[in-house]
Amino acid sequence: HTNTHTHTSLSFFLLTGPYEFIRRAVSPVGPDGNPQRTLPASVAAGGLTGICYWLSCYPIDVIKNRIQAAPDISPPLYRGMVDAARAIYAEGGVARFFKGFTPCLLRAFPANAACFVTFEIMMRVLP
């Protein structure tokens, strides 16, 4: 489905680049002058990356979810993402695109910190 593909592509782009940037910014510098991969840096970078990600794409996720949750009828309830966005806006303006945003942000830091710490551990363990 195009909406899911758009969301997933954006997700990978908005998670991997910022993670490396933030991790390097918060990592202590080693004797060789390069940032060290430490657990605290991975936790901080992973958590902040999750927050940055949701800040950048939550409205798109709301639109995607709305389309996916629409009844399977003909003609479809929404003609596409723009049509769904207009319907959401008509229900409550810009604020409607951020309903449920607070719990999402509260979950984002620990969930993404755990994800990226696991990533760093696996990069060390796997050949």
Side-chain angles (χ1 to χ4, degrees):
H1 198 272
T2 302
N3 299 318
T4 301
H5 177 70
T6 302
H7 180 266
T8 303
S9 299
L10 184 62
S11 298
F12 287 123
F13 174 75
L14 292 174
L15 285 172
T16 55
Y19 172 73
E20 269 308 304
F21 177 79
I22 295 170
R23 187 193 58 77
R24 290 175 188 208
V26 300
S27 293
V29 176
D32 60 357
N34 292 319
Q36 294 180 320
R37 292 186 178 270
T38 64
L39 180 64
S42 294
V43 169
L48 291 172
T49 296
I51 289 173
C52 290
Y53 167 75
W54 284 112
L55 285 170
S56 67
C57 71
Y58 194 81
I60 294 169
D61 197 57
V62 169
I63 296 166
K64 175 194 68 87
N65 291 339
R66 177 66 68 94
I67 292 170
Q68 289 179 333
D72 190 16
I73 58 175
S74 186
L77 190 56
Y78 305 108
R79 292 183 307 272
M81 292 184 77
V82 173
D83 189 42
R86 285 184 182 132
I88 293 167
Y89 185 81
E91 291 174 12
V94 172
R96 188 70 177 105
F97 289 94
F98 292 93
K99 185 174 182 180
F101 189 57
T102 300
C104 178
L105 280 186
L106 292 174
R107 179 191 64 85
F109 193 98
N112 286 278
C115 174
F116 280 103
V117 165
T118 302
F119 167 76
E120 292 289 348
I121 291 168
M122 290 297 106
M123 291 300 288
R124 290 181 187 165
V125 172
L126 298 175

